[in-house]
Amino acid sequence: MKYLKDHEKKMKLAFKSLDRNNDGKIEASEIVHSLQILGLTISEKQAELILKSIDSDGTMTVDWDEWRDYFLLNPVTDIEEIVRFWKHSTGIDIGDSLTIPDEFTEDEKMSGQWWRQLLAGGIAGAVSRTSTAPLDRLKVMMQVHGSKSDKMDIYGGLRQMVKEGGIRSLWRGNGTNVLKIAPETALKFSAYEQYKKMLTWEGQKLGTFERFVSGSMAGATAQTVIYPMEVLKTRLAVGRTGQYSGLFDCAKKILKHEGMGAFFKGYIPNILGIIPYAGIDLAVYELLKSHWLDHFAKDTVNPGVAVLLGCGALSSTCGQLASYPLSLVRTRMQAQAMIEGSPQLNMVGLFRRIISKEGVPGLYRGITPNFMKVLPAVGISYVVYENMKQTLGVTQK
């Protein structure tokens, strides 16, 4: 009884905050306006779909009784929590860390749920990256050595790696790739919170544009700090068997032979790649979500796991496609010093060299194994993320 009474009070407050004209009914225009304040833009038609899923008497308005009956035994207690059902999931990891961070409500920040969700996402990312590491290393090898041998294909590349260093060599560089998840996630999240405060007035909610700018700047900040680990990951992946005994040996040799500057080779194309990746990922995800709500939402506006994962995978793939040439140039710049007889070119010089020698397709070498790992990476990371959330007490078993 106490739970129901407390819950009803909270739902009454949520109802009143939506009922802008205090007529005791929620209309489509009031839903549009309230969600706009929360930084979520929806059409009148989408608002009507939300109403339809709650409205039990077919009036296309929702009174207090309908609202209470719909939400009374539902753990949703405030409007921000309702909105969060439609946010991009923290638990999808496809190996790149350039996506816009997720929002967390004030309740989640106060209760400590935010760090549990980030930890669950980090563990999911580690499992996902380890599972798809052979394809990731193959992508790096094709990016760096593709121009030397046009015959390097997926099967030939994997066979060559196994022949050179055995089965274990397929995971070379994966340790560093997993190791950088924790510092990068922590830096990105804290920087995102700071940039959001700088870009919005007190009490103002974050719009899509502010979210994109804050997220891109947070990504750039995190990448700047952990970038030496990106270089080490590439060097270890491209290195021959026995060339480096481990992460610290690799760092020591780079510092001794090439100096401190080598740890930031390819930094500019890496930072420039954040804007097309994050922007297109966010835009495509929002577009797919809106399209689904407009055309396929019938009894409910919750698209379910399959549609959410599909939208996430497709938007991330589009972001990768747009930023891939910059990613390829970054990887080549990171590994240039390892290739004998290779001139040490800057970003513009490398672009020119690739286009003149290999044409535009040369900018997309290694993209096939990159796309091959998207679906398994999304599936694995989501399953691990959901299980970790249960283990950490974020969701009920």
Side-chain angles (χ1 to χ4, degrees), residues 2 37 242 339 372 382:
K2 187 179 184 307
I37 294 168
I339 303 165
M372 280 171 70
Y382 182 78

Side-chain angles (χ1 to χ4, degrees), residues 230-293:
E230 292 277 0
V231 175
L232 289 168
K233 177 217 156 190
T234 301
R235 291 291 182 94
L236 287 163
V238 176
R240 298 182 309 277
T241 302
Q243 189 171 355
Y244 304 115
S245 61
L247 182 67
F248 293 108
D249 181 53
C250 181
K252 203 165 68 177
K253 283 179 178 171
I254 292 171
L255 193 62
K256 186 182 175 184
H257 299 296
E258 300 168 58
M260 198 67 194
F263 289 107
F264 286 90
K265 280 184 176 175
Y267 174 77
I268 292 169
N270 186 60
I271 293 297
L272 290 176
I274 290 172
I275 296 164
Y277 187 106
I280 288 168
D281 177 43
L282 186 66
V284 171
Y285 186 78
E286 292 298 320
L287 192 74
L288 291 169
K289 187 173 71 177
S290 300
H291 179 78
W292 189 89
L293 286 168

Side-chain angles (χ1 to χ4, degrees), residues 194-257:
Q194 293 305 313
Y195 288 130
K196 279 197 301 183
K197 285 175 190 168
M198 285 163 61
L199 289 170
T200 52
W201 300 105
E202 202 172 329
Q204 184 192 348
K205 294 291 176 183
L206 209 67
T208 305
F209 178 72
E210 289 86 359
R211 200 171 156 230
F212 164 62
V213 174
S214 305
S216 298
M217 287 165 71
T221 304
Q223 283 284 308
T224 301
V225 177
I226 63 106
Y227 192 73
M229 291 182 82
E230 292 277 0
V231 175
L232 289 168
K233 177 217 156 190
T234 301
R235 291 291 182 94
L236 287 163
V238 176
R240 298 182 309 277
T241 302
Q243 189 171 355
Y244 304 115
S245 61
L247 182 67
F248 293 108
D249 181 53
C250 181
K252 203 165 68 177
K253 283 179 178 171
I254 292 171
L255 193 62
K256 186 182 175 184
H257 299 296

Side-chain angles (χ1 to χ4, degrees), residues 7-142:
H7 202 54
E8 195 167 328
K9 275 182 201 169
K10 288 174 183 175
M11 287 318 301
K12 190 80 177 173
L13 289 170
F15 182 83
K16 281 183 175 175
S17 75
L18 275 170
D19 183 19
R20 315 291 297 180
N21 58 7
N22 295 317
D23 64 350
K25 289 175 183 174
I26 296 170
E27 291 143 20
S29 58
E30 290 172 328
I31 287 179
V32 171
H33 183 72
S34 295
L35 293 184
Q36 217 158 21
I37 294 168
L38 290 168
L40 194 75
T41 307
I42 64 165
S43 66
E44 194 96 12
K45 194 176 175 186
Q46 289 168 342
E48 283 170 11
L49 286 168
I50 295 170
L51 277 182
K52 197 176 169 187
S53 67
I54 305 170
D55 178 30
S56 58
D57 58 9
T59 57
M60 284 313 288
T61 59
V62 172
D63 60 27
W64 163 242
D65 289 336
E66 288 171 321
W67 178 266
R68 183 194 57 207
D69 292 347
Y70 187 80
F71 285 114
L72 196 57
L73 296 173
N74 188 316
V76 174
T77 53
D78 65 342
I79 304 300
E80 279 193 0
E81 224 173 316
I82 297 166
V83 170
R84 200 177 69 247
F85 284 132
W86 305 329
K87 298 280 184 194
H88 210 338
S89 174
T90 307
I92 297 178
D93 187 297
I94 61 166
D96 286 297
S97 315
L98 306 179
T99 48
I100 304 293
D102 275 340
E103 296 293 313
F104 291 103
T105 63
E106 288 306 313
D107 279 352
E108 284 175 323
K109 288 173 192 170
M110 295 287 284
S111 65
Q113 293 282 35
W114 65 274
W115 70 260
R116 290 188 180 92
Q117 287 185 41
L118 288 178
L119 179 60
I123 294 166
V127 175
S128 165
R129 290 182 190 195
T130 303
S131 305
T132 57
L135 287 169
D136 192 63
R137 187 178 176 223
L138 177 63
K139 175 195 79 173
V140 173
M141 295 295 276
M142 287 174 83

Side-chain angles (χ1 to χ4, degrees), residues 114 118 183-195 218:
W114 65 274
L118 288 178
E184 189 170 17
T185 305
L187 282 163
K188 190 154 73 166
F189 176 69
S190 51
Y192 183 54
E193 291 299 311
Q194 293 305 313
Y195 288 130

